[in-house]
Amino acid sequence: MKELFDKQVALLKDYHFLILYWIAKAESLHLRYNITNVYDDLKHLKITRTKQNAVAYIESLTTLCFISMVEEHNRKNLYITNYGAKALELLYSQNIYSIKPSNFLEG
């Protein structure tokens, strides 16, 4: 299973890393982070221009069980799972991607 996990993490892109990081940071700040926040942050950084892409990135992380999506008060809030936290830790330690600020969390 470790081999599969390592391969899954190796296929993640910078936008996956950022989404995992922002969700984890939001949780540490006791804030709710949702699909719209992801889209706005990725658009602000000029990583994507469409909400459809942001949703696809989120769905891929959900499929890998790295994040969970919970409907709360008409919003789909995002939470990092234990697997997502391990993936984020591994990506962070490999220094492949750089952390970029979330407009929502920093603004």
Side-chain angles (χ1 to χ4, degrees):
M1 291 306 270
K2 181 173 176 8
E3 181 183 351
L4 175 60
F5 178 78
D6 289 343
K7 284 184 179 187
Q8 289 172 329
V9 172
L11 292 173
L12 296 178
K13 306 292 185 208
D14 62 336
Y15 44 82
H16 292 118
F17 169 76
L18 290 172
I19 293 167
L20 288 171
Y21 175 77
W22 292 332
I23 293 170
K25 184 169 183 175
E27 283 189 45
S28 73
L29 296 171
H30 305 289
L31 296 173
R32 291 194 171 122
Y33 196 73
N34 61 48
I35 293 173
T36 301
N37 302 133
V38 170
Y39 168 65
D40 290 344
D41 285 339
L42 292 175
K43 184 177 176 189
H44 178 76
L45 293 172
K46 297 181 181 10
I47 293 173
T48 189
R49 291 179 20 206
T50 67
K51 193 166 189 174
Q52 185 177 5
N53 283 346
V55 170
Y57 306 152
I58 291 166
E59 287 293 333
S60 63
L61 290 170
T62 302
T63 300
L64 292 170
C65 298
F66 289 172
I67 64 172
S68 63
M69 199 175 346
V70 179
E71 181 123 10
E72 298 172 326
H73 308 291
N74 242 5
R75 299 237 184 239
K76 291 188 177 182
N77 293 318
L78 307 171
Y79 298 95
I80 196 162
T81 66
N82 290 337
Y83 298 113
K86 288 179 184 179
L88 178 60
E89 181 181 14
L90 184 59
L91 288 170
Y92 183 79
S93 70
Q94 292 173 344
N95 240 358
I96 297 171
Y97 303 117
S98 61
I99 294 171
K100 295 179 178 125
S102 158
N103 202 36
F104 172 75
L105 298 172
E106 311 292 330

